[in-house]
Every structure is written in C-alpha cells, then in structure tokens.
C-alpha cells in the first residue's frame, strides 16, 4: 500500500518525469533479499551524489530511512522562505518536532553551556539535510584545504585539485537583475565557478528577493573594516563580505537538493541501474570472515532483509548516525564495543570522536526597514506573494540566502586573549577566518518594533571537541551526542571578543538612521566580560555544521577512521562518505564541500582507487 502511495507521490511531484520505469525504481521498504554492486546507506546529501555517479556504470541500491519530503513536508522543503522558517529548526530542547523530516536528536546536557540539551536537526528524508538546510552555497579557503591535504598526506585535496569536483557538482545561474529586487545588494561572483552542463546537476543561484532589513544591516560590516569581496566565496577565499548564492533553481526559485538534482538526473536515464528503498533503515553492516563488507541488514515495515553488496558498501548516514552504525557493526573503540557485547571487527578508537561544531551568538536591536516576513502577514499579502512566486519565482517567498562576512578579529579585540588562546589561533592557516558575521532581520511584533535586526558572530575556529557514542546495541536508541560546547575556554574568550566586535558594528554610523530603541539582546546590562561570557554560555546556538566524527587521516594514525579515499581502516569494501569524514570543520558552511567530496570519492571508486 505504501509502495503505491509512494509511486503516486513520485509521479505527482515530478521526481521522475514521465517514466513509469523510474517510479518503480523507488520502493517503500524492503520485502526480500537482493543483491547489487554497491549499497549506499543514507540517501542524503553525499549519499545520492555517490549513488548517482556509480549507477551509470554499475547496479546501486540506496537505503534511506526517511520518505519523500514533497509528501512529508509540503512546500517547506521546496519554497526557500518556508524552508528557513520551519518550526523544527530550533535548538531548544522544547522544540516543535517534525518527526517525518528530522531525526529528533538531542544532545547531552552541555556542562559548559548552561547545562542545556540541544536539539540538533538532521534531515531524515530522501535528500537528507540538503532538503532542510538554509541553502547557503560557498567554498572554504585554500589554506583550509591545504591543511586537509597535509593532515591526510594526500595533496589531491588542495584547492586547485578539488576544484574540478566542485565544478562537476554544480551549474551556476548568474543573478537576474530583472527578477532580483535588490540592486543595492551587489553580487560579485565568478561565472565559471560551476561546470554549467546538464551533467553538473546541483542548481546554484541567487535569491530573487532580498529584504530591506538585510540590505541595511549588511552596511554595518564594511563600516567596521570588512569590505565587500571582489570575487565572492567560491574561489578559495573567505575575506570580507558577499551576497552569496544558494542551492536554488533560478528558473522557479525552488530549492535544489541532492534528490531533485542528482537523483532526478539519473532516474531520467533509462539504463541507469538504481533502486531506492525508502522507509528502510540500515541496522548493521555485515562482513565475511576476511572482514570484507558484503551487505547491509535493513529493517522496514516488511521485516528484516539483507541487501548484498557485490563490490562495496558506502556509508553516508551523516555526522551522528554514521559513527553510530559503524559501532553497531563492530567498528569503533574496543571498550565501547565490548561494553555492549558487540563483536569487534575493527578497533578504531576515533569513531565518534573529534566532533567539531561551530556555535554562534547574536546582538539584536529594533530596526525600521522591513523583513520578508512583513510581506506575508495578511491573506491579501500572501495572495500577492503567491502570485509573484508562481508567476516567475519572485517576491518574498523566494527569500533565501543573504549576506555573510568573514574576518580574523582585529588587533584591538585580541589584547585580552590568554597566551594559550593566542597560540591556538595562530595555528590556523593565515586565510582561515576566526569569525563569520551574518546580518538578518525578522518581524519584530513581539518586541514592539517593526523588525528585529540580528547581527551574529559564528565561531570558525572552535577548539572544543565533542563526541558521539552508542547508548545500547540497538539502533532504535539514538546515539549519545556530547557537543562539547565551550568546554575549551578559548572558545568563550573568542566569542566574548566577537560579541564586542558586533556591538561596534551596531554602533557604526551606517546603522544610526535605522536603529530603534536600545539593544534588545544581550541588553545594555550585559557589559563585563564575565557577564558576556555568561550570556554566551546560556544562549549560544549551533549553525548546524557539526563535522568530523569519522575523520580522515594517515594510515597508522590511531585516531583516524578512513583513509584519504574514504576507506574504513581495518576492513575491506567499506567507505564512509559524508560530512563525518573531513578531518575538521571547514571554515564557513559545509554543503558545497560535501558535494565536492562525494564527487571526488565517487571518482576514486569508478577509477578503481
Ligand atoms: C538546519 C540545517 C541548516 C544548514 N544550513 C546550511 C547552509 O545554509 N549551507 C551549508 O553549506 N550547509 C548547511 N547545513 C549543513 C549541511 O546541510 C550538511 O552538512 C550536509 O547536508 C550533510 O550531508 P551528509 O551527506 O553528511 O548528511 P545528510 O544529508 O544528513 O544525509 C544523511 C542521510 O542518511 C539517512 N540515514 C541516517 N541513518 C540511516 C540508516 N541507519 N539507514 C538509512 N538511512 C539513514 C538520513 O535520513 C539522511 O537522509 C545545514 C544543516 C542543517 C541541519
Ligand atoms: C504550496 O502548496 C499548495 C498546494 O498544497 C499550493 O496551493 C501553494 O500555492 C504552494 N505554494 C506556496 C508558496 O505556499
Ligand atoms: C535597497 O533597496 C531596497 C529596494 O529599493 C530598499 O527598500 C532598501 O531600503 C535599500 N537599502 C539600502 C541600504 O539603501
Ligand atoms: C569475502 O568476500 C570476498 C569478496 O567476495 C572474497 O574474495 C573472500 O574470499 C571472502 N572471504 C571469505 C572468508 O569468505
Ligand atoms: C560474536 O562472535 C561469536 C564468535 O564468532 C559468535 O558466536 C556470536 O554469535 C557473535 N555475536 C554477535 C552478537 O554477532
Ligand atoms: C513577475 O511576475 C509578477 C506577478 O505576475 C509581475 O508583476 C512581474 O512583472 C514579473 N517580473 C518579471 C521580471 O517578469
Ligand atoms: C566525550 O567527552 C567527554 C568530555 O567532554 C568525556 O567525559 C566523555 O567520556 C567522552 N565520551 C566518549 C564516548 O568519548
Ligand atoms: C541619516 O539620515 C540623515 C537625514 O536624512 C542623512 O542626512 C544621513 O546621510 C543619513 N545617514 C546615513 C549613514 O545614511
């Protein structure tokens, strides 16, 4: 029954344009054992890239625990503005859940961050987190990728050599001045940042609507010495500000996900051999006596069945669930495995360690220019906005990505750093920014102002490390996630300085004419370093970029989980390909690099590496 429903939904939402054969390749649940060349666990951001590329040359199964977001999330995963206002994207423990779309993961109480338990959203749907993220698209710095290359002893990770994989993943549509409503939100970009052929599936372009609030708030950052970048953020530099593009299809301003880009493309190829199992959860990877991964145990409404892999298993379950599944399959710290009576296939102490997370704090004020939400209050406004959106992808519903700005903190903000903090920061590459500043406005009725303007500071150089482990030998028990927020004092010191820097931006003449009333948060009473730190501990939130829990490293590095070709140490026929394998959290937002990485590893697999 579910199978039929899914086929109807698939047809209705145009996932498979007009081919019934395509629809049959998407099934709900697993009703029998089956065998493929490759089995990919997790049809998320990275998983669907790898699966799609392999399916042109071999048979591929994708095991995905979630369903179709078009069915489960209405327009919210399609219309950009609705995507950034989904209620379940809240870090608060008492968030409003959407269990069809999200894994409902909660952290342990964060001892150095107000003992808060943090809800950490992760997409549970075909397309994974690419269907729930905030669509910002940009690349990290040359120095960061060089650091990656050095740490894993493989110079194929330097920017010049990964650039072809970035380009292979995407097609870039320049901003359309006729449809983009904001001539004063100047876009600087490299038109050749993407491959721009039908074989470069991910759609990257600019929002057609930038609200006045953001255009004003963005002025504060050049005003304090962060000028507009002349090339944007896809060429290996993160310095100064830019109106960045997003994963959005410029044609109609719909979100571009790994599903409606990569998977759609491959399903349109009749010869491609790909089978997608929705509502199907991998519970264990199985190995033969020579420690070769030979298949995956999958649980669905139709019971438990083994899907066999003739060549390889590719694990792409994400930063929290990939380490969990490795441990349940006998790959992880020996002590943890024996605590839960799991037979050890490969003793890898690094599985679940080295969690990097970028956290942020904001300073808010009332401001006078309107935010997009102000155009979507009354039914009349919504009707107008809907007409604009449906006609040509314009208007407030097309609000997506905005402005961001990067810097290393200027000298006067560093004077209070402890010698240790200064040393830690000095170890990052010269082009690796310490702070990202993001301006954003939202309707301020609750505070008696037109708009609440927020200028945020996101920590790019976290020294705190978290970890992930298992609660039991049962996959139904969510992993234990300790984000480690602010456990290293350096992070608090840097964020205190960054918050003061944001206050400097608020005080700049650029915002004098639009600021209304006193600072809302933290508020004028919060001035001493101790008070600011206390505010940060109780209010810092994640920007959802958790990374590096199955880190890539050199052979012989006991803390590494995979080698530079993403092969899991100590076993054969198993790779991990997702945001758990970079050795650290790249500066900025990771999705562009996740797509790049998946392209790179797919190429390794196809070339027999
Ligand atoms: C709310 C939010 C906003 C973000 N905003 C941005 C942004 O604006 N820009 C940016 O660059 N990055 C952003 N990110 C980060 C980025 O989206 C992620 O880093 C990236 O999508 C991760 O890709 P992945 O392949 O590692 O995992 P995912 O895309 O999460 O894929 C994992 C998949 O595995 C499936 N799965 C897990 N366990 C199993 C199992 N046992 N069996 C079967 N299936 C399983 C999941 O359901 C999911 O589909 C954001 C992330 C979030 C959560
Ligand atoms: C959302 O979906 C409904 C159909 O359920 C449609 O009528 C509406 O126009 C869509 N778009 C927006 C922007 O809400
Ligand atoms: C930018 O242009 C928009 C649209 O004309 C306007 O509403 C907004 O106030 C402008 N912003 C600035 C900073 O001038
Ligand atoms: C494990 O599987 C591989 C690949 O199919 C095969 O070559 C090997 O002989 C198997 N080992 C055992 C012990 O069955
Ligand atoms: C662990 O290995 C032993 C010996 O090979 C086997 O008898 C047992 O069934 C295994 N346990 C599990 C949980 O797989
Ligand atoms: C887009 O559609 C709206 C609503 O129909 C219309 O007013 C506007 O002129 C169109 N813009 C362009 C560039 O076609
Ligand atoms: C995770 O880190 C904390 C310290 O922040 C430590 O107490 C705990 O033992 C670690 N857990 C695992 C599974 O490594
Ligand atoms: C603020 O408004 C005044 C009066 O309209 C104007 O003269 C001044 O240039 C404005 N300042 C800025 C920074 O926009």
């Amino acid at each position: 029954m579910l199978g039929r429903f899914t086929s109807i939904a698939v047809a209705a939402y145009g996932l498979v344009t007009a081919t019934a054969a395509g629809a049959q390749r998407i099934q709900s649940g697993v009703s029998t054992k089956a065998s493929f060349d490759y089995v990919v666990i997790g049809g998320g951001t990275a998983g669907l890239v790898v699966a799609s590329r392999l399916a042109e040359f071999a048979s591929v199964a994708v095991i995905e625990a979630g369903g179709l977001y078009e069915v489960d999330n209405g327009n919210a995963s399609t219309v950009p503005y609705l995507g950034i206002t989904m209620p379940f994207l809240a870090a608060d423990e008492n968030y409003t859940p959407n269990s069809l779309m999200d894994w409902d993961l909660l952290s342990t109480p964060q001892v150095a961050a107000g003992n808060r338990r943090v809800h950490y959203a992760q997409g549970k749907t075909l397309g994974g987190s690419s269907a729930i993220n905030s669509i910002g698209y940009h690349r990290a710095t040359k120095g960061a990728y060089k650091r990656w290359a050095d740490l894993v002893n493989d110079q194929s990770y330097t920017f010049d050599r990964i650039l072809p994989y970035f380009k292979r993943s995407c097609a870039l549509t320049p901003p359309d001045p006729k449809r983009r409503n904001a001539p004063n939100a100047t876009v600087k970009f490299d038109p050749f940042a993407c491959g721009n052929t039908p074989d470069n599936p991910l759609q990257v372009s600019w929002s057609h609507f930038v609200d006045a609030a953001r255009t004003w708030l963005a002025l504060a950052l050049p005003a304090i010495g962060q000028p507009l970048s002349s090339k944007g953020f896809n060429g290996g530099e993160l310095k100064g500000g830019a109106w960045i593009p997003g994963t959005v299809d410029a044609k109609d301003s719909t979100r571009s996900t790994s599903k409606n880009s990569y998977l759609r493309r491959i399903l349109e190829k009749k010869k491609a051999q790909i089978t997608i199992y929705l509502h199907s959860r991998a519970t264990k990877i199985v190995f033969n006596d020579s420690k070769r991964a030979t298949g995956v145990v999958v649980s669905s409404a139709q019971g438990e069945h083994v899907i066999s892999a003739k060549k390889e298993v590719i694990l792409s379950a994400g930063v929290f669930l990939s380490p969990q599944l490795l441990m349940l399959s006998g790959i992880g710290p020996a002590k943890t495995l024996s605590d839960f009576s799991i037979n050890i296939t490969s003793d890898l102490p690094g599985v679940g360690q080295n969690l990097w997370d970028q956290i942020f704090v904001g300073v808010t004020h009332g401001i006078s220019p309107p935010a997009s939400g102000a155009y979507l209050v009354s039914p009349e406004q919504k009707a107008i906005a809907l007409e604009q959106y449906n006609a040509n992808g314009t208007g407030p519903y097309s609000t997506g990505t905005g402005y961001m700005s990067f810097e290393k903190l200027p000298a006067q903000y560093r004077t209070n750093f402890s010698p240790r903090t200064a040393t830690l920061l000095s170890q990052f590459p010269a082009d690796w920014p310490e702070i990202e500043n993001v301006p954003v406005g939202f309707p301020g009725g609750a505070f008696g102002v037109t708009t609440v303007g927020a200028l945020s500071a996101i920590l790019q150089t976290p020294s705190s490390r978290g970890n992930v482990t298992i609660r039991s030998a049962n996959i139904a028990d969510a992993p234990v996630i300790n984000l480690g927020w602010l456990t290293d004092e350096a992070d608090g010191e840097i964020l205190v300085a960054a918050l003061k820097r944001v206050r400097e931006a608020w005080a700049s003449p650029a915002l004098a004419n639009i600021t209304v009333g006193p600072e809302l948060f933290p508020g004028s009473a919060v001035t001493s370093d101790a008070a600011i730190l206390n505010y940060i501990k109780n209010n810092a939130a994640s920007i959802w970029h958790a990374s590096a829990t199955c880190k890539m490293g050199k052979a012989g590095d006991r803390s590494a989980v995979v080698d530079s070709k993403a092969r899991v140490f100590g076993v054969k026929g198993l790779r991990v390909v997702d945001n758990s394998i970079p050795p650290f959290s790249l500066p900025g937002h990771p999705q562009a690099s996740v797509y790049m990485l998946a392209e790179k590893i797919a190429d390794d697999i196809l070339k027999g590496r």
Side-chain angles (χ1 to χ4, degrees):
M1 191 202 81
L2 256 175
R4 186 169 160 270
F5 173 69
T6 301
S7 303
I8 293 168
V10 164
Y13 289 95
L15 176 67
V16 184
T17 41
T19 68
Q24 281 157 15
R25 291 189 279 173
I26 300 191
Q27 304 180 12
S28 185
V30 178
S31 53
T32 176
K33 66 178 183 180
S35 179
F36 299 83
D37 292 325
Y38 297 99
V39 179
V40 177
I41 301 171
T45 313
L48 290 184
V49 175
V50 176
S52 303
R53 292 304 187 196
L54 296 180
E56 288 194 56
F57 305 95
S59 67
V60 179
V62 175
I63 315 297
E64 170 54 46
L68 296 175
Y69 56 76
E70 297 88 338
V71 178
D72 295 336
N73 206 24
N75 288 332
S77 285
T78 305
V79 180
Y81 181 75
L82 300 179
I84 49 181
T85 52
M86 294 189 288
F88 76 90
L89 297 187
D92 196 81
E93 183 179 355
N94 302 312
Y95 71 109
T96 308
N98 180 347
S99 306
L100 289 176
M101 289 296 296
D102 177 30
W103 283 90
D104 292 323
L105 299 174
L106 272 187
S107 76
T108 57
Q110 294 300 289
V111 288
N115 262 330
R116 290 175 293 147
R117 297 183 77 201
V118 177
H119 164 235
Y120 214 108
Q122 290 285 284
K124 182 184 190 178
T125 189
L126 196 58
S129 296
S130 75
I132 67 163
N133 71 16
S134 313
I135 78 173
Y137 181 96
H138 77 79
R139 299 164 188 171
T141 68
K142 289 181 178 172
Y145 297 116
K146 173 68 176 148
R147 169 68 53 92
W148 182 339
D150 291 345
L151 282 174
V152 307
N153 195 21
D154 183 345
Q155 295 302 310
S156 70
Y157 282 89
T158 53
F159 185 73
D160 290 348
R161 291 179 64 188
I162 56 181
L163 190 55
Y165 297 110
F166 277 116
K167 291 191 178 190
R168 184 178 293 180
S169 68
C170 59
L172 183 137
T173 306
D176 177 354
K178 287 208 191 66
R179 285 188 292 163
R180 186 169 159 90
N181 74 327
N184 53 12
T186 316
V187 172
K188 300 276 172 65
F189 68 102
D190 169 7
F192 305 108
C194 293
N196 293 345
T197 79
D199 285 340
N200 312 118
L202 186 70
Q203 297 302 308
V204 174
S205 193
W206 280 263
S207 167
H208 291 144
F209 195 90
V210 181
D211 62 31
R214 282 195 205 188
T215 63
W216 277 96
L217 292 171
L219 297 178
L221 297 164
I224 58 166
Q226 299 178 27
L228 204 63
S229 158
S230 61
K231 1 183 155 135
F233 296 150
N234 284 325
E237 272 182 36
L238 291 177
K239 194 168 196 287
W243 294 96
I244 63 151
T247 41
V248 64
D249 191 337
K251 159 168 89 345
D252 52 8
S253 293
T254 51
R255 177 195 291 261
S256 190
T257 64
S258 61
K259 185 190 103 173
N260 67 12
S261 59
Y262 279 86
L263 184 61
R264 174 188 297 221
R265 171 183 167 278
I266 200 72
L267 287 174
E268 283 169 354
K269 299 192 180 222
K270 281 209 190 70
K271 283 192 184 144
Q273 305 166 64
I274 189 164
T275 302
I276 313 287
Y277 295 102
L278 297 178
H279 307 294
S280 301
R281 184 156 188 191
T283 61
K284 197 179 178 180
I285 301 160
V286 288
F287 298 87
N288 73 6
D289 286 346
S290 22
K291 298 196 177 186
R292 167 166 288 275
T294 54
V296 179
V297 182
V298 182
S299 169
S300 73
Q302 288 96 303
E304 215 167 68
H305 300 277
V306 174
I307 302 290
S308 302
K310 283 174 271 193
K311 292 189 166 146
E312 285 194 36
V313 172
I314 291 107
L315 174 58
S316 302
V319 68
F320 302 116
L321 301 178
S322 280
Q324 180 197 26
L325 195 63
L326 285 179
M327 288 185 241
L328 294 179
S329 308
I331 300 173
K335 164 94 173 62
T336 306
L337 303 183
S338 60
D339 282 352
F340 296 105
S341 308
I342 298 169
N343 285 344
I344 298 172
T345 306
S346 178
D347 170 18
L348 290 182
V351 174
Q353 299 296 314
N354 190 51
L355 189 161
W356 286 56
D357 198 25
Q358 300 168 348
I359 58 173
F360 78 97
V361 286
V363 177
T364 56
H365 267 276
I367 59 169
S368 49
S372 294
Y375 302 96
L376 296 167
V377 181
S378 69
E380 293 76 19
Q381 286 178 315
K382 284 186 182 169
I384 294 169
L386 201 56
E387 190 198 318
Q388 294 169 329
Y389 186 74
N390 290 341
N392 46 35
T394 60
Y397 281 123
S398 66
T399 303
T401 53
Y403 192 81
M404 53 181 63
S405 189
F406 293 88
E407 69 171 6
K408 286 208 197 262
L409 286 163
Q412 70 269 33
Y413 287 90
R414 320 179 73 85
T415 49
N416 288 341
F417 286 166
S418 69
R420 179 174 168 275
T421 298
T423 303
L424 283 171
L425 288 178
S426 72
Q427 287 161 357
F428 284 89
D431 67 0
W432 184 314
E434 290 159 357
I435 297 294
E436 174 188 349
N437 293 118
V438 176
V440 59
F442 46 92
F447 298 93
V449 292
T450 306
T451 303
V452 171
L455 283 172
S456 298
I458 310 167
L459 180 66
Q460 305 295 294
T461 53
S463 291
S464 304
R465 296 288 171 266
N467 54 42
V468 184
T469 190
I470 49 177
R471 198 178 300 275
S472 77
N474 183 350
I475 193 151
D477 293 328
V480 181
I481 298 170
N482 174 7
L483 299 166
W485 284 5
L486 297 163
T487 49
D488 190 307
E489 286 177 5
D491 294 351
E493 272 182 53
I494 299 162
L495 278 172
V496 168
L499 191 139
K500 294 180 187 168
R501 176 75 165 144
V502 168
R503 280 181 166 162
E504 182 192 350
W506 272 114
S508 77
L511 299 187
N513 284 353
I514 61 149
T515 306
V516 180
E519 182 177 294
L520 294 172
F521 293 100
S524 55
V526 179
T527 48
S528 69
D529 284 8
I532 294 173
L533 181 60
N534 185 52
Y535 176 80
I536 290 168
K537 283 177 175 287
N538 289 298
N539 293 281
S542 171
I543 194 85
W544 318 107
H545 294 171
S547 309
T549 51
C550 299
K551 81 168 185 190
M552 186 181 284
K554 300 172 189 166
D557 172 356
R558 286 293 285 147
S559 67
V561 176
V562 300
D563 71 8
S564 71
K565 297 187 171 57
R567 296 175 296 212
V568 176
F569 287 118
V571 297
K572 297 184 206 79
L574 176 64
R575 301 191 207 224
V576 183
V577 187
D578 57 26
N579 200 35
S580 70
I581 66 168
F584 43 63
S585 186
L586 288 157
H589 302 243
Q591 73 164 334
S593 297
V594 172
Y595 281 106
M596 172 280 294
L597 179 61
E599 287 278 13
K600 186 175 193 306
I601 303 298
D603 196 36
D604 282 337
I605 296 171
L606 288 172
K607 292 190 170 140
R609 296 193 284 235

